Amino acid sequence: MELNVVNRELSVDEVQITGVTTSSLFLIGDADSIQLASTFDTPPESLIIGPFVPLSPKG
């Protein structure tokens, strides 16, 4: 696989996030290295996967 990246100017005026999952990454801009890890201290049978929970609206 070949990946070509061309860095150019980036301008972000506003970002709206309406929901977040249990394991999330939100990134704007450059990163040399990203390393993510996740662990659970409960047994797998107790894990409940349900619908997304929306964030509270800005008031």
Side-chain angles (χ1 to χ4, degrees):
M1 177 174 75
E2 183 177 332
L3 175 66
N4 295 313
V5 178
V6 178
N7 289 320
R8 295 198 173 118
E9 186 176 331
L10 176 67
S11 175
V12 178
D13 291 333
E14 181 179 336
V15 175
Q16 292 182 350
I17 298 175
T18 57
V20 177
T21 62
T22 55
S23 179
S24 302
L25 170 69
F26 178 76
L27 174 70
I28 296 177
D30 293 336
D32 290 331
S33 176
I34 298 174
Q35 182 176 3
L36 302 174
S38 177
T39 60
F40 288 102
D41 61 351
T42 57
E45 58 270 9
S46 66
L47 178 64
I48 300 172
I49 299 176
F52 294 109
V53 178
L55 297 176
S56 301
K58 266 185 152 176

